[in-house]
Amino acid sequence: MPLDRSLPDHPDDVHESAEELRTALKDHGITLPSLGIDLPGFASVYGVSLVALGNCNAATARRLAEVLRKAATR
């Protein structure tokens, strides 16, 4: 059954979103080691599931900024 995209905080959607982001970053040679699901948000009664981007080193941050700048100029 396809996900209902009108419900952005559907539990399956947050997992799928994290994996889509991981794959897109990998396509550009970027790895965010702690990319994952924010567990407190996922378990929250408020229904707000978050993708946790986590920490990265300065080189990864610069590479991510470079990719985003290039994408913005297209």
Side-chain angles (χ1 to χ4, degrees):
M1 171 183 238
L3 294 176
D4 182 352
R5 296 291 179 193
S6 68
L7 302 172
D9 293 319
H10 187 280
D12 291 337
D13 190 47
V14 73
H15 289 285
E16 184 178 305
S17 296
E19 287 308 310
E20 286 177 18
L21 180 57
R22 185 184 321 279
T23 299
L25 289 168
K26 185 178 178 181
D27 290 346
H28 291 280
I30 299 171
T31 300
L32 295 178
S34 50
L35 176 70
I37 307 305
D38 177 63
L39 294 179
F42 185 72
S44 155
V45 296
Y46 301 109
V48 178
S49 300
L50 303 173
V51 175
L53 300 178
N55 299 319
C56 66
N57 61 32
T60 300
R62 282 192 296 273
R63 177 71 179 126
L64 183 55
E66 175 187 343
V67 168
L68 291 171
R69 277 194 298 275
K70 285 182 182 178
T73 61
R74 291 185 184 171

Short mmCIF file of all heavy atoms in Angstrom, two decimals:
data_model
loop_
_atom_site.label_atom_id
_atom_site.label_comp_id
_atom_site.label_asym_id
_atom_site.label_seq_id
_atom_site.Cartn_x
_atom_site.Cartn_y
_atom_site.Cartn_z
N MET A 1 0.84 -1.17 0.00
CA MET A 1 0.00 0.00 0.00
C MET A 1 0.89 1.24 0.00
O MET A 1 1.78 1.37 0.82
CB MET A 1 -0.90 -0.03 1.23
CG MET A 1 -1.66 1.23 1.46
SD MET A 1 -2.63 1.13 2.97
CE MET A 1 -4.23 1.40 2.29
N PRO A 2 0.66 2.19 -0.91
CA PRO A 2 1.49 3.39 -0.95
C PRO A 2 1.26 4.28 0.26
O PRO A 2 0.19 4.28 0.86
CB PRO A 2 1.05 4.11 -2.23
CG PRO A 2 -0.21 3.44 -2.67
CD PRO A 2 -0.33 2.14 -1.95
N LEU A 3 2.32 5.01 0.61
CA LEU A 3 2.21 5.92 1.74
C LEU A 3 1.33 7.10 1.37
O LEU A 3 1.33 7.56 0.25
CB LEU A 3 3.59 6.46 2.13
CG LEU A 3 4.57 5.45 2.67
CD1 LEU A 3 5.92 6.11 2.91
CD2 LEU A 3 4.06 4.87 3.97
N ASP A 4 0.58 7.59 2.33
CA ASP A 4 -0.25 8.77 2.14
C ASP A 4 0.64 9.99 2.35
O ASP A 4 0.97 10.35 3.47
CB ASP A 4 -1.42 8.77 3.12
CG ASP A 4 -2.36 9.94 2.95
OD1 ASP A 4 -2.02 10.86 2.16
OD2 ASP A 4 -3.41 9.94 3.59
N ARG A 5 1.06 10.63 1.27
CA ARG A 5 1.98 11.77 1.35
C ARG A 5 1.33 13.00 1.98
O ARG A 5 2.00 13.95 2.29
CB ARG A 5 2.52 12.12 -0.04
CG ARG A 5 3.33 11.03 -0.66
CD ARG A 5 4.61 10.87 0.09
NE ARG A 5 5.39 9.80 -0.51
CZ ARG A 5 6.42 9.26 0.04
NH1 ARG A 5 6.83 9.68 1.20
NH2 ARG A 5 7.07 8.30 -0.55
N SER A 6 0.02 12.98 2.15
CA SER A 6 -0.62 14.10 2.83
C SER A 6 -0.39 14.03 4.33
O SER A 6 -0.69 14.96 5.05
CB SER A 6 -2.12 14.12 2.53
OG SER A 6 -2.75 13.00 3.12
N LEU A 7 0.16 12.93 4.80
CA LEU A 7 0.50 12.76 6.22
C LEU A 7 2.02 12.69 6.34
O LEU A 7 2.60 11.62 6.40
CB LEU A 7 -0.12 11.47 6.77
CG LEU A 7 -1.64 11.35 6.67
CD1 LEU A 7 -2.09 9.95 7.07
CD2 LEU A 7 -2.31 12.40 7.54
N PRO A 8 2.70 13.85 6.38
CA PRO A 8 4.16 13.85 6.34
C PRO A 8 4.82 13.18 7.53
O PRO A 8 5.97 12.80 7.46
CB PRO A 8 4.51 15.33 6.30
CG PRO A 8 3.33 16.01 6.88
CD PRO A 8 2.14 15.16 6.53
N ASP A 9 4.11 13.02 8.63
CA ASP A 9 4.71 12.42 9.81
C ASP A 9 4.28 10.99 10.04
O ASP A 9 4.34 10.48 11.15
CB ASP A 9 4.40 13.29 11.04
CG ASP A 9 5.09 14.63 10.95
OD1 ASP A 9 6.25 14.67 10.53
OD2 ASP A 9 4.45 15.62 11.29
N HIS A 10 3.84 10.33 8.99
CA HIS A 10 3.52 8.91 9.08
C HIS A 10 4.80 8.16 9.46
O HIS A 10 5.86 8.44 8.91
CB HIS A 10 2.97 8.42 7.73
CG HIS A 10 2.46 7.02 7.79
ND1 HIS A 10 3.30 5.94 7.73
CD2 HIS A 10 1.21 6.54 7.91
CE1 HIS A 10 2.59 4.84 7.80
NE2 HIS A 10 1.32 5.17 7.91
N PRO A 11 4.74 7.23 10.39
CA PRO A 11 5.96 6.53 10.84
C PRO A 11 6.76 5.90 9.71
O PRO A 11 7.98 5.95 9.72
CB PRO A 11 5.43 5.46 11.80
CG PRO A 11 4.15 6.01 12.30
CD PRO A 11 3.57 6.81 11.15
N ASP A 12 6.10 5.31 8.72
CA ASP A 12 6.84 4.71 7.62
C ASP A 12 7.52 5.78 6.78
O ASP A 12 8.58 5.57 6.21
CB ASP A 12 5.92 3.87 6.73
CG ASP A 12 5.43 2.62 7.44
OD1 ASP A 12 6.10 2.16 8.38
OD2 ASP A 12 4.37 2.10 7.04
N ASP A 13 6.90 6.95 6.68
CA ASP A 13 7.44 8.02 5.86
C ASP A 13 8.75 8.53 6.42
O ASP A 13 9.67 8.85 5.66
CB ASP A 13 6.43 9.15 5.73
CG ASP A 13 6.85 10.17 4.69
OD1 ASP A 13 7.23 9.75 3.58
OD2 ASP A 13 6.79 11.37 4.98
N VAL A 14 8.89 8.62 7.72
CA VAL A 14 10.13 9.14 8.30
C VAL A 14 11.28 8.17 8.02
O VAL A 14 12.39 8.60 7.71
CB VAL A 14 9.97 9.48 9.80
CG1 VAL A 14 9.90 8.25 10.66
CG2 VAL A 14 11.08 10.39 10.25
N HIS A 15 11.03 6.89 8.05
CA HIS A 15 12.06 5.91 7.71
C HIS A 15 12.43 6.03 6.24
O HIS A 15 13.60 6.04 5.87
CB HIS A 15 11.59 4.48 8.00
CG HIS A 15 11.51 4.18 9.46
ND1 HIS A 15 12.61 3.94 10.23
CD2 HIS A 15 10.44 4.08 10.29
CE1 HIS A 15 12.24 3.70 11.48
NE2 HIS A 15 10.93 3.80 11.54
N GLU A 16 11.42 6.11 5.39
CA GLU A 16 11.65 6.23 3.95
C GLU A 16 12.40 7.52 3.64
O GLU A 16 13.32 7.55 2.82
CB GLU A 16 10.33 6.19 3.20
CG GLU A 16 10.49 6.20 1.69
CD GLU A 16 9.16 6.10 0.97
OE1 GLU A 16 8.42 5.14 1.24
OE2 GLU A 16 8.90 6.98 0.15
N SER A 17 12.01 8.61 4.29
CA SER A 17 12.66 9.90 4.06
C SER A 17 14.14 9.84 4.45
O SER A 17 14.99 10.37 3.74
CB SER A 17 11.97 10.99 4.87
OG SER A 17 10.65 11.15 4.43
N ALA A 18 14.44 9.22 5.57
CA ALA A 18 15.83 9.10 6.01
C ALA A 18 16.64 8.29 5.00
O ALA A 18 17.77 8.65 4.66
CB ALA A 18 15.90 8.46 7.39
N GLU A 19 16.06 7.22 4.50
CA GLU A 19 16.77 6.39 3.52
C GLU A 19 16.94 7.12 2.18
O GLU A 19 17.98 7.00 1.53
CB GLU A 19 16.07 5.05 3.32
CG GLU A 19 16.26 4.10 4.49
CD GLU A 19 17.73 3.94 4.88
OE1 GLU A 19 18.59 3.66 4.01
OE2 GLU A 19 18.03 4.11 6.08
N GLU A 20 15.92 7.87 1.76
CA GLU A 20 16.04 8.66 0.54
C GLU A 20 17.17 9.68 0.68
O GLU A 20 17.96 9.88 -0.25
CB GLU A 20 14.74 9.38 0.22
CG GLU A 20 13.65 8.47 -0.30
CD GLU A 20 12.34 9.22 -0.53
OE1 GLU A 20 12.36 10.47 -0.62
OE2 GLU A 20 11.30 8.56 -0.62
N LEU A 21 17.23 10.34 1.83
CA LEU A 21 18.28 11.32 2.07
C LEU A 21 19.64 10.64 2.10
O LEU A 21 20.61 11.13 1.50
CB LEU A 21 18.02 12.07 3.37
CG LEU A 21 19.05 13.13 3.75
CD1 LEU A 21 19.21 14.18 2.65
CD2 LEU A 21 18.65 13.80 5.06
N ARG A 22 19.76 9.51 2.77
CA ARG A 22 21.02 8.77 2.84
C ARG A 22 21.50 8.42 1.43
O ARG A 22 22.67 8.60 1.08
CB ARG A 22 20.86 7.51 3.69
CG ARG A 22 22.16 6.75 3.91
CD ARG A 22 21.95 5.43 4.67
NE ARG A 22 20.98 5.48 5.74
CZ ARG A 22 21.20 5.96 6.97
NH1 ARG A 22 22.37 6.46 7.27
NH2 ARG A 22 20.25 5.94 7.89
N THR A 23 20.59 7.94 0.60
CA THR A 23 20.94 7.56 -0.77
C THR A 23 21.35 8.77 -1.60
O THR A 23 22.35 8.73 -2.33
CB THR A 23 19.75 6.84 -1.44
OG1 THR A 23 19.47 5.66 -0.68
CG2 THR A 23 20.06 6.46 -2.87
N ALA A 24 20.60 9.86 -1.49
CA ALA A 24 20.93 11.08 -2.24
C ALA A 24 22.29 11.63 -1.83
O ALA A 24 23.08 12.06 -2.67
CB ALA A 24 19.83 12.13 -2.05
N LEU A 25 22.56 11.63 -0.53
CA LEU A 25 23.86 12.09 -0.06
C LEU A 25 24.97 11.18 -0.58
O LEU A 25 26.02 11.66 -1.02
CB LEU A 25 23.89 12.14 1.47
CG LEU A 25 23.04 13.24 2.12
CD1 LEU A 25 22.92 13.00 3.62
CD2 LEU A 25 23.62 14.61 1.83
N LYS A 26 24.74 9.88 -0.54
CA LYS A 26 25.74 8.92 -1.02
C LYS A 26 26.03 9.14 -2.50
O LYS A 26 27.18 9.03 -2.94
CB LYS A 26 25.24 7.49 -0.79
CG LYS A 26 26.26 6.43 -1.15
CD LYS A 26 25.73 5.05 -0.84
CE LYS A 26 26.74 4.00 -1.26
NZ LYS A 26 26.25 2.66 -1.01
N ASP A 27 25.00 9.49 -3.28
CA ASP A 27 25.19 9.77 -4.71
C ASP A 27 26.16 10.92 -4.95
O ASP A 27 26.73 11.05 -6.02
CB ASP A 27 23.85 10.10 -5.38
CG ASP A 27 22.93 8.90 -5.50
OD1 ASP A 27 23.39 7.75 -5.30
OD2 ASP A 27 21.73 9.11 -5.77
N HIS A 28 26.32 11.77 -3.92
CA HIS A 28 27.23 12.91 -4.02
C HIS A 28 28.49 12.70 -3.18
O HIS A 28 29.23 13.66 -2.92
CB HIS A 28 26.52 14.19 -3.58
CG HIS A 28 25.47 14.62 -4.54
ND1 HIS A 28 25.74 15.29 -5.70
CD2 HIS A 28 24.13 14.44 -4.53
CE1 HIS A 28 24.62 15.51 -6.36
NE2 HIS A 28 23.63 15.00 -5.67
N GLY A 29 28.71 11.48 -2.73
CA GLY A 29 29.90 11.16 -1.96
C GLY A 29 29.88 11.69 -0.54
O GLY A 29 30.92 11.92 0.06
N ILE A 30 28.68 11.88 0.00
CA ILE A 30 28.54 12.43 1.36
C ILE A 30 27.92 11.38 2.27
O ILE A 30 26.92 10.76 1.91
CB ILE A 30 27.65 13.69 1.35
CG1 ILE A 30 28.29 14.77 0.47
CG2 ILE A 30 27.41 14.20 2.77
CD1 ILE A 30 27.38 15.95 0.22
N THR A 31 28.53 11.22 3.44
CA THR A 31 27.99 10.32 4.45
C THR A 31 27.80 11.08 5.76
O THR A 31 28.74 11.72 6.23
CB THR A 31 28.95 9.13 4.70
OG1 THR A 31 29.13 8.43 3.48
CG2 THR A 31 28.39 8.19 5.75
N LEU A 32 26.60 11.04 6.27
CA LEU A 32 26.33 11.57 7.61
C LEU A 32 26.19 10.34 8.52
O LEU A 32 25.14 9.69 8.52
CB LEU A 32 25.06 12.42 7.64
CG LEU A 32 25.10 13.70 6.83
CD1 LEU A 32 23.75 14.42 6.90
CD2 LEU A 32 26.20 14.62 7.29
N PRO A 33 27.25 9.99 9.26
CA PRO A 33 27.26 8.74 10.03
C PRO A 33 26.10 8.58 11.00
O PRO A 33 25.63 7.48 11.24
CB PRO A 33 28.58 8.77 10.78
CG PRO A 33 29.43 9.74 10.05
CD PRO A 33 28.49 10.74 9.43
N SER A 34 25.62 9.67 11.56
CA SER A 34 24.56 9.55 12.56
C SER A 34 23.18 9.87 12.00
O SER A 34 22.24 10.07 12.77
CB SER A 34 24.88 10.42 13.78
OG SER A 34 25.20 11.73 13.39
N LEU A 35 23.04 9.89 10.68
CA LEU A 35 21.73 10.10 10.06
C LEU A 35 20.80 8.97 10.47
O LEU A 35 21.16 7.79 10.39
CB LEU A 35 21.87 10.12 8.53
CG LEU A 35 20.57 10.22 7.74
CD1 LEU A 35 19.95 11.59 7.90
CD2 LEU A 35 20.83 9.94 6.27
N GLY A 36 19.64 9.30 10.94
CA GLY A 36 18.69 8.28 11.37
C GLY A 36 17.38 8.88 11.81
O GLY A 36 17.06 10.01 11.47
N ILE A 37 16.66 8.13 12.58
CA ILE A 37 15.35 8.56 13.09
C ILE A 37 15.54 9.11 14.50
O ILE A 37 16.22 8.50 15.33
CB ILE A 37 14.38 7.36 13.13
CG1 ILE A 37 14.30 6.66 11.78
CG2 ILE A 37 13.00 7.79 13.61
CD1 ILE A 37 13.94 7.54 10.62
N ASP A 38 14.94 10.25 14.77
CA ASP A 38 14.97 10.81 16.11
C ASP A 38 14.00 9.99 16.97
O ASP A 38 12.78 10.13 16.82
CB ASP A 38 14.54 12.28 16.06
CG ASP A 38 14.49 12.91 17.44
OD1 ASP A 38 15.54 12.99 18.08
OD2 ASP A 38 13.38 13.30 17.84
N LEU A 39 14.53 9.12 17.79
CA LEU A 39 13.69 8.19 18.54
C LEU A 39 12.71 8.86 19.49
O LEU A 39 11.55 8.46 19.55
CB LEU A 39 14.55 7.16 19.26
CG LEU A 39 15.31 6.21 18.32
CD1 LEU A 39 16.16 5.24 19.12
CD2 LEU A 39 14.36 5.47 17.41
N PRO A 40 13.10 9.89 20.25
CA PRO A 40 12.09 10.54 21.10
C PRO A 40 10.93 11.11 20.30
O PRO A 40 9.78 11.00 20.69
CB PRO A 40 12.88 11.64 21.81
CG PRO A 40 14.28 11.15 21.82
CD PRO A 40 14.45 10.42 20.51
N GLY A 41 11.22 11.70 19.15
CA GLY A 41 10.16 12.23 18.31
C GLY A 41 9.31 11.13 17.72
O GLY A 41 8.09 11.24 17.61
N PHE A 42 9.96 10.03 17.35
CA PHE A 42 9.25 8.89 16.76
C PHE A 42 8.29 8.27 17.76
O PHE A 42 7.19 7.86 17.42
CB PHE A 42 10.27 7.85 16.28
CG PHE A 42 9.66 6.71 15.55
CD1 PHE A 42 9.16 6.87 14.26
CD2 PHE A 42 9.58 5.46 16.13
CE1 PHE A 42 8.60 5.81 13.57
CE2 PHE A 42 9.02 4.39 15.45
CZ PHE A 42 8.54 4.57 14.16
N ALA A 43 8.70 8.24 19.02
CA ALA A 43 7.87 7.63 20.07
C ALA A 43 6.90 8.62 20.69
O ALA A 43 6.10 8.25 21.53
CB ALA A 43 8.78 7.05 21.15
N SER A 44 6.96 9.85 20.26
CA SER A 44 6.15 10.91 20.84
C SER A 44 4.65 10.69 20.61
O SER A 44 4.23 10.19 19.60
CB SER A 44 6.58 12.24 20.23
OG SER A 44 5.57 13.19 20.27
N VAL A 45 3.87 11.12 21.57
CA VAL A 45 2.41 11.07 21.43
C VAL A 45 1.91 12.21 20.56
O VAL A 45 0.74 12.23 20.19
CB VAL A 45 1.70 11.11 22.81
CG1 VAL A 45 2.05 9.90 23.64
CG2 VAL A 45 2.03 12.39 23.55
N TYR A 46 2.79 13.16 20.24
CA TYR A 46 2.39 14.30 19.43
C TYR A 46 2.40 14.00 17.93
O TYR A 46 1.96 14.80 17.14
CB TYR A 46 3.28 15.51 19.73
CG TYR A 46 3.21 15.90 21.17
CD1 TYR A 46 4.29 15.69 22.02
CD2 TYR A 46 2.05 16.46 21.71
CE1 TYR A 46 4.22 16.03 23.35
CE2 TYR A 46 1.98 16.79 23.05
CZ TYR A 46 3.06 16.57 23.86
OH TYR A 46 2.99 16.90 25.19
N GLY A 47 2.94 12.86 17.54
CA GLY A 47 2.91 12.45 16.15
C GLY A 47 3.86 13.19 15.24
O GLY A 47 3.65 13.24 14.04
N VAL A 48 4.93 13.76 15.79
CA VAL A 48 5.90 14.46 14.96
C VAL A 48 7.16 13.59 14.90
O VAL A 48 7.94 13.54 15.84
CB VAL A 48 6.24 15.85 15.53
CG1 VAL A 48 7.29 16.54 14.69
CG2 VAL A 48 4.99 16.69 15.64
N SER A 49 7.33 12.90 13.79
CA SER A 49 8.51 12.08 13.59
C SER A 49 9.55 12.89 12.86
O SER A 49 9.25 13.55 11.86
CB SER A 49 8.16 10.83 12.78
OG SER A 49 7.18 10.07 13.46
N LEU A 50 10.78 12.86 13.35
CA LEU A 50 11.85 13.65 12.78
C LEU A 50 12.98 12.79 12.26
O LEU A 50 13.28 11.73 12.82
CB LEU A 50 12.42 14.61 13.84
CG LEU A 50 11.42 15.57 14.49
CD1 LEU A 50 12.10 16.32 15.63
CD2 LEU A 50 10.86 16.54 13.46
N VAL A 51 13.63 13.26 11.21
CA VAL A 51 14.86 12.65 10.73
C VAL A 51 15.99 13.38 11.44
O VAL A 51 16.07 14.61 11.39
CB VAL A 51 15.01 12.79 9.20
CG1 VAL A 51 16.36 12.27 8.74
CG2 VAL A 51 13.87 12.07 8.48
N ALA A 52 16.83 12.64 12.13
CA ALA A 52 17.97 13.23 12.84
C ALA A 52 19.18 13.24 11.90
O ALA A 52 19.62 12.19 11.44
CB ALA A 52 18.28 12.41 14.09
N LEU A 53 19.66 14.44 11.59
CA LEU A 53 20.80 14.55 10.70
C LEU A 53 22.11 14.29 11.43
O LEU A 53 23.07 13.82 10.84
CB LEU A 53 20.83 15.92 10.04
CG LEU A 53 19.60 16.25 9.20
CD1 LEU A 53 19.71 17.65 8.62
CD2 LEU A 53 19.39 15.22 8.10
N GLY A 54 22.15 14.60 12.70
CA GLY A 54 23.31 14.28 13.50
C GLY A 54 24.50 15.18 13.23
O GLY A 54 24.38 16.27 12.68
N ASN A 55 25.64 14.72 13.63
CA ASN A 55 26.88 15.48 13.52
C ASN A 55 27.69 15.04 12.31
O ASN A 55 27.55 13.92 11.83
CB ASN A 55 27.73 15.26 14.78
CG ASN A 55 27.02 15.72 16.02
OD1 ASN A 55 26.36 16.75 16.01
ND2 ASN A 55 27.12 14.94 17.08
N CYS A 56 28.55 15.94 11.85
CA CYS A 56 29.50 15.59 10.80
C CYS A 56 30.74 16.45 10.97
O CYS A 56 30.70 17.48 11.65
CB CYS A 56 28.89 15.78 9.41
SG CYS A 56 28.51 17.48 8.97
N ASN A 57 31.81 16.04 10.34
CA ASN A 57 33.05 16.82 10.45
C ASN A 57 32.99 18.01 9.49
O ASN A 57 32.08 18.13 8.66
CB ASN A 57 34.28 15.94 10.22
CG ASN A 57 34.30 15.32 8.84
OD1 ASN A 57 33.81 15.90 7.87
ND2 ASN A 57 34.87 14.13 8.74
N ALA A 58 33.98 18.90 9.61
CA ALA A 58 33.99 20.13 8.81
C ALA A 58 34.07 19.83 7.32
O ALA A 58 33.42 20.50 6.51
CB ALA A 58 35.15 21.02 9.24
N ALA A 59 34.84 18.83 6.93
CA ALA A 59 34.96 18.50 5.50
C ALA A 59 33.62 18.06 4.93
O ALA A 59 33.26 18.44 3.81
CB ALA A 59 36.02 17.41 5.31
N THR A 60 32.87 17.27 5.68
CA THR A 60 31.55 16.82 5.22
C THR A 60 30.59 18.00 5.14
O THR A 60 29.83 18.11 4.18
CB THR A 60 31.00 15.73 6.15
OG1 THR A 60 31.91 14.62 6.15
CG2 THR A 60 29.64 15.25 5.71
N ALA A 61 30.63 18.89 6.10
CA ALA A 61 29.77 20.07 6.08
C ALA A 61 30.08 20.93 4.85
O ALA A 61 29.16 21.42 4.18
CB ALA A 61 29.94 20.88 7.35
N ARG A 62 31.37 21.11 4.54
CA ARG A 62 31.74 21.89 3.35
C ARG A 62 31.27 21.21 2.08
O ARG A 62 30.77 21.86 1.17
CB ARG A 62 33.26 22.10 3.31
CG ARG A 62 33.73 23.20 4.25
CD ARG A 62 35.18 23.58 3.98
NE ARG A 62 36.10 22.48 4.23
CZ ARG A 62 36.63 22.21 5.42
NH1 ARG A 62 36.33 22.95 6.47
NH2 ARG A 62 37.46 21.20 5.56
N ARG A 63 31.41 19.90 2.00
CA ARG A 63 30.97 19.16 0.82
C ARG A 63 29.46 19.27 0.65
O ARG A 63 28.95 19.48 -0.46
CB ARG A 63 31.39 17.68 0.92
CG ARG A 63 30.92 16.81 -0.20
CD ARG A 63 31.65 17.11 -1.50
NE ARG A 63 31.15 16.21 -2.53
CZ ARG A 63 30.68 16.61 -3.71
NH1 ARG A 63 30.69 17.88 -4.03
NH2 ARG A 63 30.21 15.74 -4.56
N LEU A 64 28.72 19.15 1.72
CA LEU A 64 27.27 19.28 1.68
C LEU A 64 26.88 20.69 1.22
O LEU A 64 26.00 20.85 0.36
CB LEU A 64 26.68 18.97 3.05
CG LEU A 64 25.17 18.99 3.18
CD1 LEU A 64 24.50 18.06 2.18
CD2 LEU A 64 24.77 18.58 4.60
N ALA A 65 27.54 21.70 1.74
CA ALA A 65 27.27 23.08 1.32
C ALA A 65 27.57 23.27 -0.16
O ALA A 65 26.81 23.93 -0.88
CB ALA A 65 28.09 24.05 2.17
N GLU A 66 28.66 22.68 -0.64
CA GLU A 66 29.03 22.77 -2.05
C GLU A 66 27.95 22.16 -2.95
O GLU A 66 27.54 22.75 -3.94
CB GLU A 66 30.37 22.05 -2.26
CG GLU A 66 30.82 21.97 -3.70
CD GLU A 66 32.05 21.09 -3.86
OE1 GLU A 66 32.75 20.81 -2.88
OE2 GLU A 66 32.29 20.67 -5.00
N VAL A 67 27.49 20.98 -2.58
CA VAL A 67 26.44 20.30 -3.37
C VAL A 67 25.16 21.12 -3.38
O VAL A 67 24.52 21.28 -4.42
CB VAL A 67 26.19 18.88 -2.82
CG1 VAL A 67 24.94 18.27 -3.41
CG2 VAL A 67 27.40 17.99 -3.10
N LEU A 68 24.79 21.67 -2.23
CA LEU A 68 23.58 22.48 -2.16
C LEU A 68 23.70 23.77 -2.98
O LEU A 68 22.75 24.17 -3.67
CB LEU A 68 23.23 22.81 -0.71
CG LEU A 68 22.78 21.60 0.13
CD1 LEU A 68 22.69 21.99 1.60
CD2 LEU A 68 21.48 21.05 -0.38
N ARG A 69 24.87 24.39 -2.94
CA ARG A 69 25.07 25.60 -3.76
C ARG A 69 24.96 25.30 -5.24
O ARG A 69 24.33 26.03 -6.00
CB ARG A 69 26.44 26.23 -3.45
CG ARG A 69 26.45 27.11 -2.23
CD ARG A 69 27.72 27.96 -2.16
NE ARG A 69 28.93 27.15 -2.07
CZ ARG A 69 29.43 26.67 -0.94
NH1 ARG A 69 28.81 26.89 0.21
NH2 ARG A 69 30.53 25.96 -0.95
N LYS A 70 25.56 24.19 -5.67
CA LYS A 70 25.48 23.80 -7.09
C LYS A 70 24.04 23.52 -7.49
O LYS A 70 23.61 23.90 -8.57
CB LYS A 70 26.36 22.58 -7.36
CG LYS A 70 27.82 22.89 -7.40
CD LYS A 70 28.62 21.63 -7.71
CE LYS A 70 30.11 21.92 -7.71
NZ LYS A 70 30.90 20.70 -7.96
N ALA A 71 23.32 22.85 -6.62
CA ALA A 71 21.91 22.54 -6.93
C ALA A 71 21.07 23.80 -7.02
O ALA A 71 20.14 23.88 -7.82
CB ALA A 71 21.34 21.59 -5.87
N ALA A 72 21.40 24.81 -6.23
CA ALA A 72 20.62 26.05 -6.22
C ALA A 72 20.84 26.87 -7.49
O ALA A 72 20.00 27.67 -7.85
CB ALA A 72 20.98 26.88 -5.00
N THR A 73 21.95 26.67 -8.16
CA THR A 73 22.25 27.44 -9.36
C THR A 73 21.73 26.78 -10.63
O THR A 73 21.88 27.34 -11.70
CB THR A 73 23.77 27.70 -9.50
OG1 THR A 73 24.45 26.44 -9.62
CG2 THR A 73 24.29 28.49 -8.32
N ARG A 74 21.14 25.65 -10.50
CA ARG A 74 20.61 24.95 -11.71
C ARG A 74 19.30 25.51 -12.12
O ARG A 74 18.49 25.97 -11.48
CB ARG A 74 20.48 23.46 -11.44
CG ARG A 74 21.80 22.80 -11.31
CD ARG A 74 21.62 21.33 -11.15
NE ARG A 74 22.94 20.72 -10.94
CZ ARG A 74 23.11 19.49 -10.59
NH1 ARG A 74 22.08 18.70 -10.40
NH2 ARG A 74 24.29 19.00 -10.44
#
